[in-house]
Amino acid sequence: MQTTAADLSAIRARLAELERASATLEPDAKAREELRRPVVRYAEDFLERVDDAPAYRETEDAGRRVLELEIREEGRPLDELLDVVESDVDGTGLSPASGGHLGYIPGGGLYPSSLGDYLADVTNRYSGLFFPSPGAVRMENQLVRWMAEIIGYPEESRGDLTSGGSIASLTGIVTAREARGVHAREVERSAVYLTEQVHHCVAKALRIAGLGDAPIRTVPMDARYRMDAAELARLMGADRAAGIRPFLVVASAGTTDTGSVDPLGQIADVAAEHGAWLHVDAAYGGFFVLTDEVGDLLADLSRADSVVLDPHKGMFLPYGSGAVLVRDGAALQAAHYYRASYLRDVPEEQDWFSPADHSPELTRPFRGLRMWLPLQLFGVAPFRAALAEKLWLARYFHERVQEIGGMEVGPEPALSVALFRWVPPGGDDAVGGGGGEGRALPPPPPPPKP
Ligand SMILES: *Cc1c(COP(=O)(O)O)cnc(C)c1O
């Protein structure tokens, strides 16, 4: 049946009506200004007060008023919304940017990153693939390359900017599984080696990656909570003798509880001898490689097959920035690459790579700008200084806390985590409040050489 002129004009009338009804979704310059001004003012008030703001605010209803504003058909005024954000989101719980927040894993909130996010959201560049946004992808490639360079990775390494360390770990572990050809039927005979101090996101990643039934070997640690490489070698030898393949070692460069760095070089030797993939979780500790005050503690990061870094920790970015780096970039691509009919072919010769080919994600936020902007604006130097400052703060604390009677300290901090506890005058109490054995901290090592 032919569409008549009358039908067409009815459609046009309906379109005009719908356009009017949805017009608020596209505010004009004046409306944008009216939205922006109170938000910027709110942010400035927040920043002015954040240094002295409590690190943690406990409120009676723990933000429950948020739920009073149910999502409804009609909108609400911005003031009312900012009010709720202030009282019931920013006014309750942890304030990682507060001057009083002494969490040992930093929660920064570098201001120019917020401007990077703002621009990335306003321009909405599509950073998953090269063709839609070559510049955005090159920017992310450059950041990956920079991180690869600081850990001493070769030219052929690649990586991805992720939402955080957990997804980066998953990506690294999936790459290991594919690169070592661990098929479902071999999982039960492919062993994974880690310590008690490994971050729990590794266990989660192993399970999600279909490796939940792999034999997990918990490698003993030394007095400084570091993986014992001789024990690792012994466990791997025993597994091989029993017909089990040593498949994956997960070492830590900065554990979450103690800041310990496993002996990466020794572990790399053992892993290489047994053909195992070495994944290093450097989510918290990796960026300390930027300071020259940790000696060669992190020098052997370059020997890992894959490494996880968290710019939202060590680069002080707001949450939402992790990174995975894989020494053999082709292995990362092989594990994640896919083609669809609507995606264009990639030329043989290219000096870029698409994030979507190196990650489980396709469409994703343009994460590069939030890291690129502060790095370009300030240069690397202030980041090195801020990281070194954190090391010295921990060392200073470690010395001074011993002056307080009854304090027992752990080892000299490897990075920015200092262990201490108070032992009551009557002697050690049991861990957990009574009955059992108290677990003593290891004795402090001799003082550091100047
Ligand atoms: C924070 C952390 C993780 C997890 O990273 P997310 O960014 O929180 O997902 C993994 N490993 C270590 C050592 C960490 O400190």
Side-chain angles (χ1 to χ4, degrees), residues 53-236:
Y56 196 92
R57 272 204 197 90
E58 206 169 333
T59 54
E60 228 161 75
D61 65 353
R64 193 161 283 115
R65 192 156 77 95
V66 167
L67 305 179
E68 285 171 19
L69 297 192
E70 78 281 12
I71 310 292
R72 61 180 191 187
E73 279 303 301
E74 323 78 51
R76 300 176 195 273
L78 179 59
D79 286 350
E80 192 185 332
L81 304 178
L82 288 178
D83 215 43
V84 169
V85 171
E86 180 170 19
S87 63
D88 284 75
V89 180
D90 293 332
T92 184
L94 180 72
S95 181
S98 142
H101 179 232
L102 295 177
Y104 46 73
I105 305 286
L110 211 57
Y111 181 68
S113 292
S114 73
L115 302 179
D117 279 349
Y118 177 69
L119 291 177
D121 287 355
V122 166
T123 60
N124 201 25
R125 303 307 307 197
Y126 189 92
S127 64
L129 295 162
F130 183 78
F131 287 107
S133 198
V137 167
R138 285 194 198 279
M139 182 183 285
E140 295 206 352
N141 286 183
Q142 181 192 37
L143 291 166
V144 164
R145 180 104 315 274
W146 176 71
M147 287 186 279
E149 272 163 19
I150 65 172
I151 67 159
Y153 258 10
E155 190 87 20
E156 66 271 18
S157 59
R158 292 189 209 169
D160 187 49
L161 300 183
T162 67
S163 57
S166 299
I167 295 298
S169 299
L170 176 64
T171 307
I173 284 168
V174 166
T175 304
R177 185 195 68 202
E178 294 295 293
R180 288 294 184 265
V182 176
H183 302 290
R185 61 185 173 277
E186 288 135 21
V187 168
E188 287 179 4
R189 307 199 68 74
S190 304
V192 178
Y193 306 81
L194 37 76
T195 72
E196 219 178 57
Q197 285 292 328
V198 87
H199 194 278
H200 70 269
C201 77
V202 169
K204 212 178 183 181
L206 288 168
R207 193 177 65 212
I208 297 170
L211 298 165
D213 292 330
I216 305 288
R217 309 296 182 216
T218 307
V219 185
M221 298 178 289
D222 67 11
R224 289 174 152 227
Y225 306 102
R226 298 174 299 198
M227 184 185 283
D228 184 328
E231 287 291 328
L232 174 67
R234 191 182 60 74
L235 287 168
M236 283 189 165

Side-chain angles (χ1 to χ4, degrees), residues 105 164-167 169 199 201 254-256 281 283-284 310 312-313:
I105 305 286
S166 299
I167 295 298
S169 299
H199 194 278
C201 77
T255 59
T256 309
D281 179 357
Y284 148 64
D310 256 354
H312 65 206
K313 291 172 183 162

